[in-house]
């Protein structure tokens, strides 16, 4: 396989003529409801470089939305897939079984926090894993209510979409929604919903959420609390100190299953294998997907054996769930995570990202907040630092300018004003710095316009 030189190269304007022609074909063949944040069509990718069909080489600071923690086309992962490809591609685990499924389950059981015996169930997508975590929690507790948070994103299927907070674009017109989903305030230190100062936001929002759970739902009706330890699509919100532990204690005291949705934050991204480790909390269930199989569709629910073993035989599954190619890829991903110390790499990237983003905040008033952990960092753009009015248009303009200069960056956030940085954890420091130089110039261009 061809390795692409790890450098940015502009061959045409972006999008170039070939991408534009593909875009025309796509418009006539694919519904507009599938949104794409760039007009680029990729021909090949490796490491932290995407080469488009016009020969442009773009720096990838999105990693396919946190899927390629191991880098694009990781050789170890593609080799593992190729080897499995030569043996078989599918049998269906519910019919005739295969070792890679069991081995990957053993590996995840050992990686997920907590000393209790564990079990892992594989499915194909993040949304499906979230749904299965809820099914298992309901069965285990005999209760119905599911607690989620403001700004949460848990997927696009009926239940996962219901659990997701944001109406546009995820829910508007797409209901009716699933019953028994309750939304609580989220600690968001920059915009504390109770109006507290950032240092007080964690405990205050936890107290508020616990009060609401007690009074409006009843703790004894709650099957599970599902939370992203660091929110992804909702704006890379890092909850205030104390928020997550207080919720976990409340769950433990009331027989509620505590579920960490680590689909975006997991597998090395934040400088630990799982973001929940930064909170010192042992969740009952952990949900993973995105980065788990280095680009192949695979998701998992991992957790305490007594919870996972609640459901009767045949109550869980899926035809493609735990596909053998995906499990082989997952094993190679976990090998690479440990061999190359990807959490350590994420911490090193944090050392480049956060200081640089703070410098940007010092230079332009457009940057209202800098936050994140490991290689999951973001800036939140505002038109006015006092009112914190979200700078949605400027955010879009910065991303467009970055793309024109050959850098793929993603946005997120309830207010569409957060620029999130999710580079592959294997990115060279120099390439990351170059990507950040482009981001800085783009911000200056937009701020000066
Ligand atoms: C992406 C994501 C999901 C949904 O995963 P899909 O594979 O797109 O269904 C759920 N939770 C979080 C935190 C995510 O980032």
């Amino acid at each position: 396989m061809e390795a692409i030189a790890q450098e940015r190269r502009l061959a045409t304007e972006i999008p170039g003529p070939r991408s534009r022609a593909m875009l025309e074909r796509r418009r006539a063949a694919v519904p507009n409801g599938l949104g794409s944040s760039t007009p680029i069509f990729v021909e090949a990718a490796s490491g932290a470089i995407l080469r488009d069909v016009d020969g442009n080489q773009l720096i990838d600071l999105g990693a396919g939305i946190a899927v390629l923690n191991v880098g694009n086309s990781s050789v170890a992962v593609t080799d593992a897939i190729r080897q499995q490809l030569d043996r078989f591609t599918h049998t269906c685990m519910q019919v005739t079984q295969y070792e890679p499924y069991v081995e990957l389950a053993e590996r995840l059981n050992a990686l997920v926090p907590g000393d209790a015996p564990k079990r892992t169930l594989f499915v194909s997508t993040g949304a499906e894993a979230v749904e299965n975590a809820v099914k298992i929690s309901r069965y285990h507790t005999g209760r119905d209510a599911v607690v989620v948070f403001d700004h949460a994103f848990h997927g696009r299927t009926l239940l996962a979409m219901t659990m997701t907070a944001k109406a546009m674009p995820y829910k508007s017109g797409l209901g009716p929604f699933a019953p028994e989903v309750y939304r609580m305030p989220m600690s968001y230190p920059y915009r504390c919903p109770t109006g507290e100062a950032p240092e007080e936001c964690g405990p205050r929002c936890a107290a508020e959420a616990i009060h609401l759970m007690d009074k409006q739902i009843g703790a004894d009706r709650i099957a599970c609390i599902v939370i992203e330890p660091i929110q992804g699509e909702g704006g890379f919100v890092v909850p205030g100190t104390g928020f997550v532990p207080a919720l976990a204690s409340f769950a433990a005291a009331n027989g509620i299953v505590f579920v960490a949705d680590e689909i975006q934050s997991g597998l090395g991204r934040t400088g630990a294998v799982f973001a929940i480790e930064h909170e010192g909390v042992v969740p009952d269930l952990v949900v993973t997907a995105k980065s788990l199989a280095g680009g192949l569709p695979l998701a998992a629910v991992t957790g305490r054996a007594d919870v996972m073993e609640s459901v009767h035989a045949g109550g869980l599954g899926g035809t493609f769930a735990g596909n053998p190619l995906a499990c082989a890829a997952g094993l190679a991903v976990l090998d690479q995570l440990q061999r190359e110390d990807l959490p350590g790499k994420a911490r090193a990237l944090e050392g480049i990202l956060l200081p640089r983003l703070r410098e940007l905040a010092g230079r332009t008033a457009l940057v209202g907040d800098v936050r994140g952990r490991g290689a999951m960092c973001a800036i939140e753009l505002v038109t006015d630092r006092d009112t914190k009015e979200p700078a949605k248009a400027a955010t879009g303009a910065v991303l467009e300018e970055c793309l024109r200069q050959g850098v793929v960056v993603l946005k997120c956030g309830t207010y569409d004003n957060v620029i999130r940085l999710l580079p592959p954890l294997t990115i060279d420091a120099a390439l990351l710095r170059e990507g950040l130089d482009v981001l800085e110039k783009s911000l200056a261009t937009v701020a000066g316009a």
Side-chain angles (χ1 to χ4, degrees):
M1 196 194 60
E2 175 202 12
I4 301 172
Q6 293 297 293
E7 57 192 38
R8 181 170 64 114
R9 200 180 290 159
L10 300 183
T12 67
E13 59 179 347
I14 295 178
R18 291 208 167 115
S19 274
R20 290 202 302 269
M22 281 299 306
L23 205 54
E24 285 306 308
R25 274 176 63 195
R26 174 213 145 111
R27 284 198 180 115
V30 179
N32 186 48
L34 175 77
S36 297
S37 57
T38 78
I40 301 302
F41 283 77
V42 170
E43 174 195 74
S46 86
I49 292 288
L50 306 170
R51 190 171 68 214
D52 75 7
V53 289
D54 293 289
N56 297 296
Q57 293 192 181
L58 298 101
I59 302 177
D60 179 11
L61 298 185
I65 318 189
V67 167
L68 296 156
N69 287 3
V70 293
N72 288 276
S73 312
S74 159
V75 175
V77 174
T78 54
D79 279 351
I81 296 168
R82 216 170 279 120
Q83 280 181 25
Q84 179 58 41
L85 188 60
D86 288 340
R87 291 199 286 267
F88 58 95
T89 57
H90 175 82
T91 67
C92 189
M93 192 64 183
Q94 287 139 259
V95 183
T96 52
Q97 309 180 46
Y98 42 89
E99 184 180 2
Y101 189 114
V102 177
E103 190 178 346
L104 188 58
E106 290 166 348
R107 296 279 297 273
L108 275 173
N109 293 344
L111 268 183
V112 162
D115 300 328
K118 298 189 205 83
R119 301 283 187 273
T120 290
L121 171 78
F122 291 111
V123 287
S124 304
T125 70
E128 208 187 345
V130 167
E131 298 229 1
N132 276 281
V134 171
K135 278 165 79 169
I136 293 165
S137 300
R138 283 178 166 162
Y139 204 118
H140 179 72
T141 57
R143 305 171 181 176
D144 292 335
V146 173
V147 166
V148 292
F149 294 86
D150 285 336
H151 314 289
F153 183 87
H154 296 296
R156 295 172 178 274
T157 53
L158 176 59
L159 177 57
M161 166 177 71
T162 306
M163 293 166 68
T164 290
K166 197 176 177 182
M168 259 322 259
Y170 306 122
K171 300 168 86 167
S172 285
L174 300 171
F177 302 106
E180 291 302 321
V181 173
Y182 299 86
R183 194 168 307 286
M184 295 296 132
M186 173 75 188
S187 168
Y188 185 165
Y190 182 61
R191 297 178 187 276
C192 178
T194 71
E196 282 288 357
E199 347 26 284
E200 291 304 317
C201 172
R204 180 68 203 282
C205 285
E208 183 67 17
I210 288 167
H211 172 77
L212 291 172
M213 284 190 272
D214 252 339
K215 300 300 169 205
Q216 295 189 5
I217 314 170
D220 61 352
R221 283 222 309 116
I222 303 174
C224 54
I225 297 175
V226 183
I227 189 165
E228 299 156 83
I230 296 180
Q231 290 184 321
E233 307 305 300
F236 276 30
V237 176
V238 185
T241 308
F243 182 69
V244 174
L247 296 172
S249 307
F250 175 78
N254 291 283
I256 299 165
V257 179
F258 191 76
V259 183
D261 178 344
E262 292 265 9
I263 291 173
Q264 191 152 163
S265 59
L267 298 160
R269 173 56 56 187
T270 67
V273 179
F274 296 103
I276 194 79
E277 294 171 45
H278 301 294
E279 303 288 352
V281 162
V282 175
D284 300 309
L285 301 180
V286 169
V287 180
T288 50
K290 291 197 162 82
S291 215
L292 180 56
L296 290 203
L298 186 68
V301 185
T302 302
R304 267 172 41 204
D306 64 314
V307 180
M308 294 293 294
E309 293 288 11
S310 307
V311 182
H312 55 263
L316 305 172
T319 307
F320 290 129
N323 169 271
L325 291 177
C327 287
L331 287 166
V333 165
L334 295 189
D335 284 342
Q336 189 176 344
L337 179 96
Q338 283 164 327
R339 186 178 64 244
E340 296 185 6
D341 183 21
L342 294 185
K345 283 202 159 63
R347 292 193 294 276
L349 295 176
E350 177 184 316
I352 297 173
L353 285 163
L354 284 182
R356 186 69 188 273
L357 297 176
R358 289 195 184 111
E359 228 178 274
L360 294 187
R363 250 175 244 156
T364 161
L366 205 50
V367 179
D369 193 33
V370 175
R371 56 182 179 255
R373 275 202 173 113
M376 186 169 184
C377 294
I379 49 178
E380 177 161 353
L381 304 193
V382 293
T383 57
D384 179 324
R385 277 187 176 167
D386 294 326
T387 64
K388 301 184 181 175
E389 182 65 29
K392 179 179 169 176
T395 304
V398 171
L399 296 193
E400 268 174 40
E401 184 56 24
C402 285
L403 186 69
R404 266 197 291 276
Q405 300 304 324
V407 180
V408 176
V409 196
L410 307 174
K411 67 175 177 178
C412 62
T414 295
Y415 315 104
D416 294 307
N417 67 329
V418 177
I419 294 178
R420 57 172 149 174
L421 297 162
L422 281 170
L425 303 181
T426 55
I427 192 171
D428 293 339
L431 199 61
L432 177 60
R433 288 200 182 92
E434 186 179 339
L436 293 171
D437 289 345
V438 170
L439 175 62
E440 175 171 350
K441 284 199 195 99
S442 304
L443 268 169
T445 306
V446 170

